[in-house]
Amino acid sequence: MAQEAGSATAEDSGLDTGRAEPRGSGRPAPPKGRGFPSAVARSGRVGGLDGLRTVAVALVLVYHVAPDVLPGGSVAVDVFFTISGFVITRLLLAEYARTGGVALLPFYRRRWLRLVPALLAVCAVCAILSVTTPLWGFDDSLPAAGLSALFLVNVVRAAEPGPYGDLTGPLAHTWSLGVEEQFYLLWPLALLVLLRHARARTVLLCTAALCALPVLWRCVLWQPDAAHRIYNGTDTRADQLLAGALVAVVLARLRADDPRLAVLRAWAGRLAWPALGLLALAAWRMPVTADAGPWTVAWYTVGFLCVAVLSAVLVAALELRPGGGLSRLLSLTPLTWVGRNLSYGVYLWHYPVVRLLASLGMKDGLLPATAVLTLLMALLSYYVIEAPFLRRARRPAPGAAARQPAV
């Protein structure tokens, strides 16, 4: 749920113009990162995506406090997956276009500094409440803290055939962070191999093919007892992240004057509001974690891909049509600021806060109380933990400039 950003001018971006320089021209040779002429130009922040993050995390909070109001509110996590796949892939492609390679160790360092310190703070608070208070919501939270810190909550939940146990307790929601981190570990490696050994068009086709594999795998795995396995597995949810990656690859491939880009822009504009409406309908009416008969079977097999496609349409529309009505709405300053700076903290803290207030016996006013306390904790997390580590993440690692560890 975190987004990095970078910018460069057309002159210094290292874009491949597709034209060989004449001998003796004195100009530098074209970079190695061929085939993605728009990668650097499309590596900046997208205000609408930050606003979409705010809406998504609000849906997740409501879902965990009042699931009867939004029985399908967890669909917002699916939207987060697609946004994450898009953002990470376009950053990797921009680096490849500039340098002809991808420095994996600095990438992993930035991811660690962005995500782990705040997560460890939440884990520490839950562990301390577990050993110092009688609050039932934090009973035996030490194992949960360890699993969450190692991004293994999704693995534990995937192995539970029946109802979820309380092993992951107040940190059960960090299953989605496990999926994202495991994807971040594997996808840059796979993308780098493709970039090094395949043409740009082949990279695009392979990314599209990879999107289809989790759907087939879910169909093979499906049975009622496999619901947790499918819902929590990185392999079974990868198409939602890869859908965002595919959007990033497609847009990086197309030049600004490519007529196909105009077609994509037009269709993204036409489909954006219907896609948002269908996602809202799923959040309002689809009982994702309940047994809804044929609907559940469809959801756990092809449904995740359908949500990924709808999310990808939104991502493409927000990227390609910044002046459109939806983009302007989601780019309102309060939405973008919260999405950019607080959405990760809100996601981390909201579920422990729900457990805390429920353990204290609060029933009336639980939703507004959770929202207020969660925002306060997210603000504290951002200014005390996340912002300082973000500043470190933006600085090169010691000796990185000398080593130039692009791989």
Side-chain angles (χ1 to χ4, degrees):
M1 290 180 286
Q3 182 177 353
E4 298 179 67
S7 62
T9 64
E11 181 179 353
D12 64 10
S13 64
L15 294 182
D16 178 19
T17 63
R19 299 188 300 271
E21 295 295 338
R23 291 186 180 182
S25 64
R27 299 182 65 179
K32 297 177 182 178
R34 296 176 180 273
F36 299 97
S38 297
V40 175
R42 295 192 179 280
S43 60
R45 298 201 74 95
V46 180
L49 288 182
D50 289 328
L52 184 59
R53 282 190 177 93
T54 300
V55 174
V57 79
L59 290 176
V60 173
L61 188 151
V62 173
Y63 168 71
H64 280 141
V65 178
D68 292 340
V69 175
L70 289 176
S74 63
V75 75
V77 176
D78 306 28
V79 177
F80 272 129
F81 284 160
T82 302
I83 295 173
S84 295
F86 171 75
V87 170
I88 290 302
T89 302
R90 72 176 187 158
L91 288 173
L92 294 170
L93 290 174
E95 181 177 353
Y96 177 73
R98 285 193 302 266
T99 68
V102 176
L104 290 179
L105 290 180
F107 168 80
Y108 292 131
R109 172 181 175 269
R110 291 192 300 270
R111 290 290 87 203
W112 194 96
L113 290 172
R114 176 64 186 96
L115 300 176
V116 175
L119 173 63
L120 292 180
V122 176
C123 292
V125 169
C126 291
I128 291 169
L129 290 175
S130 173
V131 300
T132 61
T133 72
L135 296 171
W136 60 261
F138 298 88
D139 286 345
D140 301 320
S141 291
L142 286 175
L147 291 169
S148 183
L150 294 172
F151 297 103
L152 292 175
V153 169
N154 68 310
V155 176
V156 172
R157 284 164 57 96
E160 296 185 87
Y164 288 126
D166 207 37
L167 177 62
T168 55
L171 295 163
H173 65 304
T174 62
W175 72 270
S176 65
L177 301 183
V179 171
E180 287 196 5
E181 284 304 293
Q182 290 151 23
F183 177 81
Y184 293 161
L185 180 64
L186 298 174
W187 173 239
L189 292 168
L191 181 60
L192 180 58
V193 170
L194 288 172
L195 291 172
R196 276 188 160 185
H197 301 288
R199 299 171 67 89
R201 183 184 180 191
T202 304
V203 174
L204 190 156
L205 294 175
C206 288
T207 305
L210 287 172
C211 288
L213 292 180
V215 185
L216 301 176
W217 184 224
R218 289 195 296 265
C219 291
V220 170
L221 288 175
W222 170 253
Q223 56 177 318
D225 289 343
H228 294 337
R229 166 70 180 86
I230 291 173
Y231 192 82
N232 294 277
T234 301
D235 55 340
T236 50
R237 302 299 291 267
D239 51 337
Q240 299 190 312
L241 290 134
L242 288 166
L246 181 60
V247 174
V249 173
V250 169
L251 296 183
R253 284 275 293 135
L254 299 177
R255 298 179 186 277
D257 58 353
D258 193 312
R260 292 172 295 181
L261 187 63
V263 174
L264 280 176
R265 183 179 291 110
W267 277 104
R270 294 183 188 122
L271 297 176
W273 284 105
L276 183 63
L278 288 173
L279 289 171
L281 181 62
W284 178 44
R285 301 297 296 173
M286 179 63 199
V288 173
T289 58
D291 184 3
W295 279 108
T296 297
V297 178
W299 188 265
Y300 277 76
T301 50
V302 300
F304 290 151
L305 179 61
C306 293
V307 172
V309 171
L310 295 174
S311 302
V313 168
L314 282 181
V315 168
L318 294 172
E319 167 70 24
L320 293 173
R321 301 179 65 88
L326 181 59
S327 291
R328 291 200 304 270
L329 176 63
L330 292 175
S331 296
L332 293 173
T333 299
L335 291 178
T336 58
W337 191 87
V338 171
R340 181 182 305 123
N341 301 313
L342 300 187
S343 60
Y344 182 53
V346 169
Y347 188 82
L348 284 178
W349 284 102
H350 81 280
Y351 197 62
V353 166
V354 173
R355 303 267 293 202
L356 172 65
L357 296 178
S359 297
L360 293 173
M362 176 174 285
K363 294 182 179 178
D364 296 333
L366 181 60
L367 180 57
T370 298
V372 171
L373 184 54
T374 297
L375 280 174
L376 291 175
M377 296 304 297
L379 283 166
L380 184 65
S381 173
Y382 177 71
Y383 284 110
V384 176
I385 301 172
E386 295 172 58
F389 278 98
L390 278 171
R391 288 192 289 269
R392 289 185 60 184
R394 294 186 184 110
R395 294 196 299 265
R403 291 194 305 267
Q404 293 185 350
V407 293

